[in-house]
Amino acid sequence: MKKTIGLFAAGALVLALSACGGAAPAGSAGGAKSLDQLVVGFAQVGAESGWRTANTKDIQASFKEANIKLQFSDAQQKQENQIKAIRSYIQQKVDYIAFSPVVQTGWDAVLNEAKAANIPVILTDRAVDSKDTSLYKTFLGSDFIAEGKKAGDWLVADAKSASGPVNVIQLEGTTGSAPAIDRAKGFADAIATNPNIKVVASQTGDFTRAGGKQVAEALLKSHPEATVIYAHNDDMGLGAIEAIEAAGKVPGKDIKIITVDAVHDGMQALADGKINFIVECSPLLGKQLIDIITKLNAGQTVPARIVTEEGTFTPEQAKAALPNRKY
Ligand code: AHR
């Protein structure tokens, strides 16, 4: 039902865009536009996680505050929907296109179409693997390899007190997405320093709570030797908590849990001792995106890569941070 409404909304958006005629590209004949004359198309991944919901809210609020018109579409985690949305933005001659690519590959054709239409593209949150970096102005978002490494470094330090092997179940994000690829790599690099730590099973839970629960349930059964779950986001870690409890075990004790994001529900589980460590991934990209658009619109250049600053949380740090947490 939710999916049907989402698709209908996406269709309605395409129709609405077709009907509105669009705006002239910023800086085209007639001179640069003021911010309140701009139209920006944003093709969001979906609503798969607490992180994504916080990211969407932040982007929408930032555009409202900056008084820039935002055309927003939700691709329901499907690349073909994102490509359709981007094509509709091109057709309508929006001034800028921003998007968070659901997967890394397969964007060259549509990005070349945007380039041919002279519409600057900004990548937010996730990267593409296009060799031609002139297809986008900048990539704003986290260093996912560093996030995976922070998760692995914590486990290496924690495993110093372990008497036997440390067997890890990895709950991967969406297959082919930048955060799933990079968080796995960063983690693998970090744990390679300790031959006692092994990833005994690794499977995608698609960044959702339901996916995390389902995969954790199955993998905990087939790998009773596992004592750690590394989930590529909080939502899958929260799903894993349900699976661990259903199996009569204690999350955070019998099975240690490491996650990435630090959204409210994850931080609460960390403060409650059900998660052991969280690596932060900030969804608050809206203001930085506005800043990039403002600069580009003024004819300035922006760095090709803008990395979000983020930290890590232990249970004690989560307790202290929770009262002022924005998401
Ligand atoms: O791309 C960022 C990731 O996507 C977040 O870590 C995850 O929660 C989301 O779905």
Side-chain angles (χ1 to χ4, degrees):
M1 180 63 184
K2 212 170 161 194
K3 268 195 176 160
T4 318
I5 292 169
L7 283 175
F8 178 77
L13 169 66
V14 173
L15 285 176
L17 286 169
S18 314
C20 81
S28 64
K33 292 178 179 178
S34 61
L35 292 183
D36 62 356
Q37 291 174 315
L38 295 179
V39 180
V40 178
F42 189 97
Q44 181 60 291
V45 171
E48 73 281 6
S49 63
W51 188 99
R52 190 64 56 196
T53 305
N55 178 246
T56 292
K57 272 193 195 156
D58 184 61
I59 283 165
Q60 289 174 333
S62 301
F63 273 82
K64 202 169 172 200
E65 196 184 310
N67 200 20
I68 299 176
K69 188 162 184 217
L70 176 68
Q71 300 285 10
F72 185 89
S73 55
D74 171 342
Q76 316 234 329
Q77 286 198 282
K78 290 196 175 74
Q79 183 175 31
E80 69 260 31
N81 289 349
Q82 266 193 317
I83 291 176
K84 256 187 229 161
I86 293 169
R87 288 209 165 110
S88 77
Y89 296 146
I90 296 171
Q91 205 187 6
Q92 299 313 309
K93 299 183 169 60
V94 300
D95 299 297
Y96 296 90
I97 292 172
F99 81 113
S100 171
V102 60
V103 290
Q104 271 190 334
T105 56
W107 298 102
D108 285 29
V110 74
L111 289 180
N112 270 302
E113 289 166 35
K115 191 176 175 185
N118 205 19
I119 301 175
V121 171
I122 300 156
L123 302 179
T124 73
D125 165 37
R126 296 183 183 180
V128 298
D129 73 346
S130 303
K131 298 267 177 302
D132 181 0
T133 52
S134 77
L135 293 177
Y136 52 90
K137 293 288 174 196
T138 183
F139 165 35
L140 160 68
S142 309
D143 180 340
F144 296 135
I145 295 184
E147 289 174 351
K149 188 169 178 318
K150 287 177 199 171
D153 285 344
W154 179 85
L155 187 58
V156 168
D158 187 69
K160 277 190 186 138
S161 56
S163 47
V166 178
N167 295 316
V168 183
I169 288 173
Q170 177 168 240
L171 302 179
E172 301 163 21
T174 301
T175 305
S177 69
I181 295 166
D182 292 352
R183 286 173 187 166
K185 182 182 180 344
F187 185 77
D189 289 350
I191 63 168
T193 58
N194 182 343
N196 239 1
I197 306 175
K198 256 193 222 112
V199 176
V200 292
S202 186
Q203 209 173 299
T204 183
D206 211 12
F207 280 130
T208 67
R209 201 177 288 210
K213 183 179 177 190
Q214 201 187 341
V215 174
E217 248 163 28
L219 294 183
L220 284 167
K221 272 189 201 134
S222 53
H223 292 276
E225 76 280 20
T227 53
V228 176
I229 288 185
Y230 165 46
H232 287 182
N233 78 343
D234 285 351
D235 280 75
M236 292 190 295
L238 292 163
I241 290 174
E242 292 176 33
I244 294 166
E245 286 174 341
K249 292 194 172 174
V250 182
K253 292 201 169 66
D254 298 332
I255 309 282
K256 291 187 178 174
I257 304 179
I258 310 163
T259 66
V260 184
D261 275 355
V263 295
H264 184 274
D265 290 359
M267 291 286 273
Q268 189 59 59
L270 180 61
D272 294 343
K274 295 185 176 194
I275 291 179
N276 302 77
F277 187 68
I278 298 186
V279 178
E280 186 179 37
C281 176
S282 176
L284 305 180
L285 302 176
K287 285 208 165 52
Q288 286 167 284
L289 176 56
I290 297 291
D291 189 47
I292 291 166
I293 290 168
T294 306
K295 285 194 172 127
L296 291 175
N297 201 52
Q300 296 169 16
T301 50
V302 292
R305 176 78 171 102
I306 303 170
V307 182
T308 320
E309 280 177 29
E310 37 211 21
T312 58
F313 293 94
T314 61
E316 287 315 311
Q317 290 167 329
K319 275 180 210 157
L322 262 171
N324 300 316
R325 202 80 185 142
K326 291 203 182 81
Y327 54 92

